Amino acid sequence: CSMVQVVDMTELAQSRIELERSVNLFQATFDSSAIGLMIFGLDGVVRRANPAMGRLLSRPVAQIAGMSVEEFIHPEEQLRVKQFVARATSRSAVAVDHRIVRPDGEIRWWRAHVTRIDTDAGPALLGQAVDTTADRPADMGVARVNRSSKTGNCDAEADRVGSPSQTAGAVHHHAIPSI
């Protein structure tokens, strides 16, 4: 006497195909977005960033993953930004305008939106950013900070790049492509 059991795998195969399509759609959307996107843990460590975020930060995308978001934020803004991000961990979304510092010391203004998301690795935050430097008055525009080559820390005082009239009309910004 033998027994044969037949299991229809059609539904399981279809679910896997749909999951793969969903993952591919997310990947394509994330990578091709004109807005800078990053996913970071509640500890502030970046898990993933898209090419637009790399352009905003003037860093290769592969270098951004594993860094703390604090490394990008202007020292004078860090406490305020931490407070806004803490709100995002307990509710749906927050928005904050703040300065970032690029590796060459250039200071840029961002409008960032942070939203809590649930991932298979636990809760995380989705950061969305656009460069708003060009929208700032000339006296708040592009500046540079001096970075200590030994510590990587920024000096609190910024050195203006050109006069306010030069800065306002100059092409110092590296805005993300428009949609």
Side-chain angles (χ1 to χ4, degrees):
C1 176
S2 60
M3 181 182 276
V4 176
Q5 183 176 4
V6 177
V7 178
D8 186 355
M9 300 296 286
T10 306
E11 191 173 313
L12 179 61
Q14 185 61 35
S15 293
R16 286 185 179 160
I17 290 169
E18 289 175 20
L19 177 61
E20 185 175 332
R21 285 181 185 153
S22 179
V23 167
N24 290 339
L25 177 61
F26 170 80
Q27 178 77 33
T29 302
F30 189 88
D31 289 343
S32 65
S33 176
I35 295 173
L37 300 172
M38 71 168 65
I39 297 173
F40 55 101
L42 300 182
D43 60 358
V45 175
V46 178
R47 295 180 186 171
R48 182 176 183 171
N50 73 347
M53 184 61 74
R55 289 189 297 275
L56 286 169
L57 294 171
S58 288
R59 296 175 186 271
V61 172
Q63 185 185 66
I64 298 169
M67 295 180 76
S68 170
V69 293
E70 287 184 16
E71 295 179 57
F72 315 127
I73 299 169
H74 189 283
E76 294 173 5
E77 305 275 5
Q78 288 184 1
L79 180 60
R80 188 171 66 86
V81 171
K82 276 184 188 180
Q83 291 168 343
F84 276 92
V85 170
R87 289 185 200 163
T89 62
S90 63
R91 55 177 232 215
S92 59
V94 296
V96 60
D97 290 330
H98 66 89
R99 294 170 289 173
I100 61 149
V101 181
R102 290 179 165 177
D104 67 357
E106 181 181 21
I107 297 172
R108 306 294 301 179
W109 278 93
W110 270 16
R111 167 150 301 139
H113 296 265
V114 179
T115 307
R116 181 186 168 118
I117 58 174
D118 292 318
T119 71
D120 57 352
L125 298 168
L126 171 65
Q128 305 169 63
V130 293
D131 187 330
T132 60
T133 306
D135 301 335
R136 298 275 167 192
D139 63 335
M140 295 174 71
V142 177
R144 293 197 185 276
V145 295
N146 296 319
R147 285 191 178 267
S148 165
S149 59
K150 292 179 185 175
T151 65
N153 293 332
C154 300
D155 293 337
E157 294 190 30
D159 299 320
R160 171 102 2 241
V161 176
S163 69
S165 61
Q166 292 172 321
T167 303
V171 182
H172 291 292
H173 57 91
H174 305 278
I176 56 175
S178 55
I179 300 174

